[in-house]
Amino acid sequence: MMLPVLSSLAIVFYLAAAGALAWPLLGDNRPTQRWPLALGALAVLLHAAILLGMHRGALDLHFFAALSLTACVVSALTLLVNLSRPVAALGVIVFPLAALLVAADGFLAPPTLPQPMDWQIKLHVTVALLAFSVLSIAAVMAIGLAVQERGLRHRQFGPWLRALPPLTLTETLLFQLIGAGFALLTLTLVTGALFVDNLFGQHLVHKTVLSIIAWLIFGALLYGRWKHGWRGRRAVNLTLSGMALLVLAFFGTKAVLELVLHRGL
């Protein structure tokens, strides 16, 4: 009985935080972030408590549970990013998605039980989750960078541009996130090779191949940035392409197996 109440509160706090961050951007007011981010922090804490209670404190990798866990981690990382680089646009996009996934896992998804895992697999899954989450925020930043470049090109200096740091700082933050995500994705592939039996086995071949291709894309982007100064639209397109492959790798197979074929992994 307690979990539905906590889920409802988390949804309310996520939406309130997103609304409070977005409201100043609809007018000419300067974005205020302290108390909206405090609401976001409360939502993340409630979200974590829900995950612990609903999935018995274990890693549940079923489709909706994995999405909800990822949303919680992405929201927490969004709060951390805003401590050093106030980026209201991140919360405006991330928090409503987190609210949606809390609702899906709490009210729509069928009950699931976490599958037993050795510590090595838990380590691999945890690193993969962090890699996906960091690169997800990088993808949101890439969208913000595209919006900034378009606004500057057409001389449209709307309030949404004030939600982002100056263009050069946005670009710097984007590549910092990609660098961190690439390192974590590298560790994900290494731990997968070391700890996962039959990495190219059933249900894993698509994840492995798509993850490797995404790794190559992000690696090429970082190399191009270092060697040739890649930036702008090329950086945005490669970031979003790599992220799209990771979404397919992490959740595409799960969606087909669980939602279409009604088979657990």
Side-chain angles (χ1 to χ4, degrees):
M1 191 67 179
M2 193 67 182
L3 286 175
V5 175
L6 292 178
S7 297
S8 300
L9 286 174
I11 292 169
V12 168
F13 281 129
Y14 270 133
L15 295 178
L21 288 171
W23 181 257
L25 306 178
L26 301 177
D28 295 325
N29 299 321
R30 240 184 122 68
T32 57
Q33 298 188 351
R34 284 190 178 180
W35 68 270
L37 293 179
L39 289 175
L42 285 174
V44 169
L45 291 174
L46 286 169
H47 195 166
I50 293 162
L51 291 169
L52 288 172
M54 185 179 294
H55 304 295
R56 304 183 183 183
L59 282 171
D60 190 340
L61 299 183
H62 290 87
F63 182 72
F64 287 106
L67 280 174
S68 182
L69 175 59
T70 302
C72 185
V73 175
V74 171
S75 298
L77 290 175
T78 296
L79 294 172
L80 291 176
V81 169
N82 272 278
L83 291 177
S84 59
R85 291 277 193 278
V87 188
L90 285 178
V92 173
I93 296 173
V94 168
F95 292 157
L97 288 176
L100 177 64
L101 293 175
V102 170
D105 190 33
F107 299 111
L108 300 177
T112 57
L113 291 175
Q115 296 176 342
M117 288 182 281
D118 296 332
W119 70 266
Q120 296 97 328
I121 302 301
K122 288 182 179 178
L123 175 63
H124 168 69
V125 170
T126 301
V127 175
L129 174 63
L130 289 173
F132 185 90
S133 300
V134 171
L135 290 170
S136 295
I137 297 177
V140 176
M141 288 300 303
I143 295 171
L145 181 63
V147 170
Q148 277 184 298
E149 290 197 327
R150 178 180 174 82
L152 293 172
R153 193 179 306 117
H154 296 282
R155 299 185 179 277
Q156 297 173 347
F157 304 105
W160 280 95
L161 290 183
R162 296 202 302 271
L164 293 166
L167 186 64
T168 54
L169 289 180
T170 302
E171 199 170 69
T172 298
L173 179 57
L174 170 64
F175 279 98
Q176 287 174 345
L177 289 168
I178 292 173
F182 179 76
L184 288 167
L185 186 58
T186 302
L187 190 56
T188 299
L189 295 173
V190 170
T191 55
L194 291 176
F195 301 142
V196 177
D197 295 330
N198 192 11
L199 193 64
F200 286 91
Q202 188 179 17
H203 306 329
L204 293 178
V205 62
H206 302 93
K207 296 179 183 180
T208 304
V209 172
L210 289 172
S211 296
I212 291 173
I213 296 173
W215 180 82
L216 290 172
I217 289 175
F218 287 118
L221 175 55
L222 290 173
Y223 177 80
R225 170 72 169 182
W226 170 70
K227 191 72 174 177
H228 305 293
W230 287 0
R231 53 181 303 183
R233 185 172 298 179
R234 177 177 288 173
V236 171
N237 290 340
L238 287 174
T239 301
L240 296 180
S241 297
M243 193 62 222
L245 288 172
L246 285 183
V247 170
L248 289 175
F250 280 61
F251 294 106
T253 303
K254 287 182 180 296
V256 172
L257 288 173
E258 296 187 32
L259 304 183
V260 179
L261 301 178
H262 303 289
R263 292 164 54 189
L265 293 180

